Amino acid sequence: MQQLGPGTRPLWQVSYRMSASLTAPSGGLISDIHPNVTLSALDLGDHKMEEGAARPVCKLQKLDLNDCEFTGSCCGDLSSLLRAAPFLAELEISDNTLDDSAVRQLCEALKNPGCRLQKLGMGSCSLTETCCGDLATLLFASESLTELDLDDNELKDPGVKLLCEGLKNQACKIQKLEIGHCSLTDLCCEDLASALLLNRSLVVLDLVSNKLGDAGVRHLCESLRHPDCSLQKLRLINCSLTRSSCEHLASALSTNRFLTDLILGSNELRDLGVYQLCEGLKSPNCRLQTLGLTDASLTGPCCTDLASLFIVNESLKELILPQNNLSDSGVKQLCEGLKHPNCKLQTLWLDTCGLTGSCCADVAGVLSSNQVLTELHLADNKLGDTEVPLIFEALRHPDCKIQKLWIWNCSLTAACCRDLASVLSASPSLIELEMCGNELGDAGVKELCEGLKHPGCKMQSMGIGSCSITDSCCSEIASVLRINQSLTELDLSDNQVGDSGMILLCEGFKHPNCKVPRLRLWMCPLTGSCCAALSSVLSGGGSLTELILSYSPLGDSGLKHLCEGLKHPCCKLKKLALIHCGFTSASSADLASVFSTNHSLIELDVADNKIGDAGVRHLCKGLKQHGCERQEPA
């Protein structure tokens, strides 16, 4: 099982984590794009623009073509696009059947001085170690590439050995490398360790689901202890580690001054392993800010060690503990540490930890006294309606600093919604609430809408996906859209909100008082019939800038309507996700035509649609042809 927290979620809750792919990467790994700079020359086939005569119209920065059923035969078109589209910063082509020769074509394009791509995703593309020589050259020959995702390819140890040669080159600018699920063993860790000492740009290394074992971690830790190692984030989820690795990691933590994130989920670390890690974390030299221990076979007794860590550690800001059997008694121990005035922890993940309503009093005591904790995840625990009001009461306390609360799938019903509505209208700090997977129903959501319409409501993000909502409550939600002035994100995913409900919501979005820029409707029974109303919202120039409609059967006819709205000069949409919406290559020409007039769209995700090679060629042609418009020299 993979890491929970900043990682995987259950399918019904997928919208909250997958939609994160539509946000800008944190940590400055991808620099700002400036699409309006003047171009000196841009090759557009038979047309050539003179110096000073061109400026980009298309501002698309991210294109996601994951699982679109294209093959290596269209990589020539993609390569041509990369050379001719300096505005494109991210390209995702994972889950397509490419081959090593196709990778060679892409690498040549990426080495072209005109290419400005910064992030490339090629996970699950049937690549082997044969292509690693070309990729190794790319690592130091590309002027712009900073992130490379090669997850789930059969690269094996010899392939990574080649990649490491590229990483060790002083010209390498790669900051983030993902090589999870690549059939690696401890034999590659010596090469990786050597690369970590020589490479000064790599700050994020993802090795998830490789059988590195304790021996592999020992090699990595030797480099982590070296003062020249500048790695900041290391993910070792499901790497066949045991508590024996924790002793080496603890030693590294006590000396390393750069490592800020260590994710160790889905390894058999057990309570003794956590004890050893805590010894390293208590060192005054430790700079770790995030520790991930999801599904690490932990129990309640380890919480005493973690609680004592809160009192002495000055750097740890986030602790990720989902899918461990901590139980209410373990959380009680954690709460004692959280109430200590020296505690600096800001984010705590306790999803799927076997908690019940009995822990709510202890949690409430923390919320009303802790002055640092701002984010709490209690998802997938059976809290129930009876005791959870204790937490809601604490959220109204004037000293409560909680800004984000996740309580999805916590056995809540409409019975708790009146108490929760009072939180929405009175909480001094709460701005994000995720309640996905609770049986709130239309009646419960109508209660919440009353709180959201209160003038004292500060809520910015509201997640009520998979809450048994139907079209019946959409008029109340539309009323919230017209009245609430703080809400910036609304998630209604995985509910029975159909075309008639969507049309009601569109009326709310078209109201001049509506301020909500982001709407998420994953896995809802929407069809092409509602897309004319959505198109009207897009062309109206309102507040909507991000729209997620993935896993809805919109079809080619629906996309055609959406494209009409996208082409309108008043459209402000920046991010559009249409994953698995039933599109084919027949509608790719409509989508390609959007690039000729749209000035706002910067991220487009059409993954898992059957557009094939022909569809990809249409999109590439549209992006190349409409990347620039004529502009008379000044």
Side-chain angles (χ1 to χ4, degrees), residues 75-111:
C75 281
D77 299 279
L78 286 169
S79 298
S80 178
L81 171 64
L82 292 174
R83 293 187 182 96
F87 47 83
L88 196 63
E90 298 185 38
L91 178 62
E92 293 285 346
I93 53 175
S94 298
D95 295 295
N96 291 291
T97 306
L98 306 183
D99 51 41
D100 297 325
S101 61
V103 171
R104 184 173 294 113
Q105 276 187 302
L106 291 172
C107 286
E108 288 304 312
L110 287 161
K111 289 187 283 187

Side-chain angles (χ1 to χ4, degrees), residues 543-559:
S543 61
L544 198 63
T545 61
E546 182 176 326
L547 180 60
I548 315 297
L549 298 172
S550 299
Y551 295 93
S552 296
L554 305 181
D556 291 332
S557 62
L559 181 58

Side-chain angles (χ1 to χ4, degrees), residues 112-123:
N112 188 287
C115 178
R116 296 291 183 268
L117 200 76
Q118 297 172 21
K119 180 178 180 180
L120 176 62
M122 291 195 297

Side-chain angles (χ1 to χ4, degrees), residues 296-484:
S297 300
L298 309 183
T299 65
C302 78
C303 293
T304 302
D305 296 310
L306 290 169
S308 67
L309 177 65
F310 298 157
I311 299 171
V312 297
N313 182 285
E314 295 287 326
S315 64
L316 193 66
K317 301 294 186 290
E318 181 173 13
L319 181 60
I320 307 164
L321 296 171
Q323 298 177 36
N324 289 294
N325 189 26
L326 304 183
S327 73
D328 296 331
S329 60
V331 169
K332 186 177 185 69
Q333 291 296 322
L334 290 178
C335 287
E336 290 304 310
L338 289 167
K339 287 189 285 187
H340 195 281
N342 289 346
C343 179
K344 301 294 190 296
L345 199 73
Q346 298 174 7
T347 301
L348 178 60
W349 298 72
L350 293 171
D351 307 326
T352 324
C353 283
L355 310 184
T356 71
S358 298
C359 75
C360 290
D362 294 306
V363 171
V366 171
L367 300 186
S368 59
S369 61
N370 184 294
Q371 298 295 293
V372 180
L373 193 69
T374 58
E375 187 170 342
L376 180 61
H377 298 252
L378 296 170
D380 204 24
N381 289 295
K382 296 185 182 301
L383 303 184
D385 294 327
T386 305
E387 302 297 331
V388 81
L390 293 172
I391 292 178
F392 295 161
E393 184 179 352
L395 289 168
R396 293 195 298 267
H397 194 281
D399 290 335
C400 180
K401 298 295 186 291
I402 287 289
Q403 297 177 15
K404 300 179 182 181
L405 178 64
W406 285 42
I407 47 175
W408 49 261
N409 197 30
C410 283
S411 302
L412 306 180
T413 71
C416 74
C417 287
R418 180 166 296 182
D419 290 318
L420 184 53
S422 68
V423 173
L424 299 180
S425 62
S427 171
S429 59
L430 192 67
I431 58 173
E432 180 177 322
L433 179 63
E434 300 291 356
M435 296 195 68
C436 179
N438 291 294
E439 291 289 327
L440 306 184
D442 294 332
V445 170
K446 288 176 182 178
E447 292 273 14
L448 295 181
C449 286
E450 292 304 309
L452 288 168
K453 288 188 286 187
H454 192 280
C457 178
K458 298 181 176 68
M459 189 61 55
Q460 296 178 15
S461 178
M462 187 75 183
I464 43 177
S466 192
C467 285
S468 300
I469 301 170
T470 71
D471 295 339
S472 298
C473 70
C474 286
S475 59
E476 280 79 7
I477 296 174
S479 176
V480 170
L481 297 177
R482 292 190 292 269
I483 295 172
N484 185 288

